Amino acid sequence: MIKIIFVCLGNICRSPMAEAIMKELVFESEIKEEFFIDSKATSTEELGNPIYPLAKKKLEEKGILYFSHDAQVFRKEDYDFYDYIIVMEDSNIRNLLYIVGNDDSKKIRKLIPNYDIDDPWYTRNFEKAYNDIYNGCQKLLKELMKQKKTKREGE
């Protein structure tokens, strides 16, 4: 099983959108039993809050209708559980390193390399955030499936 966690600052916009999108992509690919997908925050400021209404509305506009979520905080022990820790921007990496100490296993990476996905809570551009996250999740899933296939062929 591949365990992925998406992380952003508050866990009410970008990371839950990524969680919902990735869950939808693996469901559509009929491989959902091969994945554990979650999302968390680097900050406690939104702890327990639901997905931001405009983020949820954007997911629903795109056909992702059944997604509920309460913001959670990434903890040091989460590092060992997940195979991939996917962040939205450079500041998320810095915040995670503050929590976990270091990334010796090289699990932490941006959803889109060399690109920060802007926080739509500030920009109010939920369409752009959705599109960036969707494209990043598609590429990530394709990469993971290619790695899995290569690993299977090498055994």
Side-chain angles (χ1 to χ4, degrees):
M1 178 169 283
I2 298 170
K3 296 174 283 193
I4 302 169
I5 189 160
F6 295 97
V7 179
C8 69
L9 179 65
N11 192 222
I12 60 168
C13 291
R14 293 171 294 173
S15 59
M17 287 175 77
E19 176 188 352
I21 290 166
M22 186 61 103
K23 284 179 175 178
E24 185 71 16
L25 290 172
V26 300
F27 178 79
E28 289 172 355
S29 300
E30 299 180 0
I31 53 173
K32 67 178 182 179
E33 60 280 341
E34 298 179 36
F35 287 85
F36 180 84
I37 302 164
D38 201 2
S39 66
K40 292 190 179 180
T42 59
S43 166
T44 60
E45 64 191 70
E46 298 290 349
L47 184 62
N49 287 337
I51 187 170
Y52 191 67
L54 294 176
K56 184 173 183 169
K57 180 180 178 190
K58 183 54 62 182
L59 290 173
E60 290 170 348
E61 286 174 9
K62 302 295 184 175
I64 302 173
L65 305 174
Y66 306 104
F67 181 72
S68 66
H69 171 80
D70 294 315
Q72 301 175 52
V73 176
F74 192 93
R75 307 241 181 255
K76 187 173 184 166
E77 54 271 16
D78 291 327
Y79 183 86
D80 292 328
F81 180 77
Y82 291 96
D83 302 310
Y84 298 91
I85 302 167
I86 309 298
V87 302
M88 304 297 137
E89 61 183 328
D90 289 331
S91 65
N92 301 146
I93 294 172
R94 286 189 300 277
N95 292 341
L96 274 173
L97 292 175
Y98 181 77
I99 294 167
V100 301
N102 56 52
D103 184 23
D104 291 336
S105 298
K106 306 292 183 218
K107 296 180 179 189
I108 301 171
R109 64 184 248 195
K110 288 167 63 173
L111 181 59
I112 302 173
N114 304 311
Y115 181 79
D116 284 350
I117 298 172
D118 294 331
D119 190 339
W121 193 89
Y122 295 105
T123 67
R124 312 316 279 173
N125 195 341
F126 286 86
E127 181 71 22
K128 182 178 185 316
Y130 177 90
N131 290 333
D132 286 346
I133 294 166
Y134 184 86
N135 291 332
C137 285
Q138 278 189 312
K139 288 177 184 172
L140 176 61
L141 182 57
K142 187 175 183 178
E143 175 190 330
L144 294 175
M145 292 295 85
K146 185 177 179 182
Q147 286 176 7
K148 190 172 184 163
K149 182 181 178 190
T150 302
K151 190 175 181 182
R152 246 190 332 245
E153 289 172 355
E155 291 177 350

